[in-house]
């Protein structure tokens, strides 16, 4: 019985997976209220699934890349839950991998995942998607959308990138996901844990935020007053 959490994009979500299917998924959209909305989403997902928190056997979390504050909220929540319930250390999953995994079964070929990195940039990765899974070919990385190679920018794209930078990313995948689904992340984590994902995109990761650049806020050195 697995609980999945993701806070890497503009949505905050939790899902419960019993090893065969997603029992419940709760998603809230607010890029600035991760800390307020995640705990209620976890409680609601457990309630909808009819699962007591003490029935959980594992916790997984999306580790980004994504905004600093949002990622910390998700990862710390996963760690605290696992510790308080005496569960193994949570596994991490690259959130871009979950976005690519979401289109398995309805898209085949190369795919670009591009999410909002702010500062007029995107977090991105390139994948080969087949009927049985999505394999990461390049990334994750962060850059301006217009600075990506033309061949990469022309790929079918999921994530918020095409809506934010339509001139550079002009080929959104029709009906493609724009944010991470915690249910999809849970299903990918189950496949990775069981070894049933033949083209594992990046494998399971430590529960550490995947930061690709330095934070905006930095401490100033202190010294004697003048």
């Amino acid at each position: 019985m697995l609980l999945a959490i993701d806070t890497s994009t503009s949505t905050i979500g939790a899902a419960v997976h019993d090893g065969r299917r997603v029992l419940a998924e709760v998603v809230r959209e607010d890029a600035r209220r991760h800390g307020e909305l995640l705990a209620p989403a976890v409680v609601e997902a457990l309630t909808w699934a009819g699962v007591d928190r003490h029935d959980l056997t594992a916790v997984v979390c999306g580790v980004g890349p994504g905004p600093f504050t949002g990622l910390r909220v998700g990862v710390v929540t996963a760690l605290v839950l696992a510790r308080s319930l005496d569960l193994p250390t949570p596994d991490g999953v690259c959130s871009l991998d979950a976005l690519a995994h979401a289109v398995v079964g309805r898209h085949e070929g190369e795919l670009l995942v591009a999410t909002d990195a702010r500062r007029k940039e995107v977090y991105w990765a390139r994948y080969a998607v087949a009927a049985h899974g999505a394999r990461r070919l390049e990334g994750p990385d962060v850059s301006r959308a217009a600075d990506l190679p033309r061949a990469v920018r022309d790929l079918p794209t999921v994530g918020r990138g095409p809506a934010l930078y339509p001139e550079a990313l002009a080929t959104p995948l029709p009906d493609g996901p724009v944010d991470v689904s915690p249910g999809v992340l849970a299903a990918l984590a189950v496949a990775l844990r069981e070894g049933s994902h033949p083209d594992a995109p990046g494998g399971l990761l430590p529960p550490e935020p995947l930061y690709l650049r330095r934070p905006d806020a930095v401490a100033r050195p202190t010294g004697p007053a003048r």
Side-chain angles (χ1 to χ4, degrees):
M1 195 66 69
L2 178 145
L3 173 70
I5 291 170
D6 190 86
T7 55
S8 66
T9 55
S10 297
T11 58
I12 302 97
V16 179
H17 197 293
D18 68 358
R20 296 170 297 172
R21 63 188 179 92
V22 175
L23 300 180
E25 178 183 61
V26 175
V27 176
R28 299 286 181 262
E29 183 173 348
D30 192 324
R32 300 187 183 279
R33 296 179 62 206
H34 294 81
E36 298 173 52
L37 298 177
L38 180 57
V42 169
V43 172
E44 194 171 348
L46 290 169
T47 300
W48 285 6
V51 173
D52 185 272
R53 67 184 186 278
H54 296 290
D55 294 329
L56 293 173
T57 58
V59 179
V60 299
C61 59
V63 295
F68 288 85
T69 301
L71 283 185
R72 283 197 295 269
V73 168
V75 172
V76 169
T77 299
L79 288 166
V80 169
L81 276 172
R83 180 74 175 268
S84 65
L85 297 172
D86 198 26
L87 297 176
T89 300
D91 289 317
V93 176
C94 174
S95 303
L96 303 186
D97 292 352
L99 276 163
H101 190 70
V103 305
V104 171
R106 57 192 180 95
H107 171 77
E108 291 195 21
E110 291 201 13
L111 177 79
L112 174 65
V113 175
T115 62
D116 185 13
R118 303 174 184 173
R119 300 187 192 176
K120 299 183 178 179
E121 294 179 329
V122 293
Y123 295 117
W124 67 275
R126 181 171 63 95
Y127 295 82
V129 182
H132 49 271
R135 177 167 54 91
R136 193 182 330 136
L137 303 174
E138 189 176 3
D141 206 343
V142 60
S143 72
R144 293 173 62 91
D147 291 341
L148 292 173
R150 180 59 183 267
V152 174
R153 288 192 283 116
D154 287 345
L155 291 174
T157 307
V158 299
R160 290 190 177 265
L164 294 170
Y165 309 106
E167 300 84 2
L169 305 174
T171 317
L173 186 71
D175 298 320
V178 295
D179 291 305
V180 176
S181 158
V184 171
L185 188 139
L188 175 57
V190 168
L192 292 171
R193 288 166 64 90
E194 295 178 346
S196 59
H197 191 299
D199 286 328
L204 293 168
L205 301 171
E208 300 172 359
L210 185 58
Y211 296 144
L212 300 182
R213 65 185 181 202
R214 296 177 61 84
D216 293 321
V218 294
R220 292 184 177 181
T222 59
R226 293 185 179 179

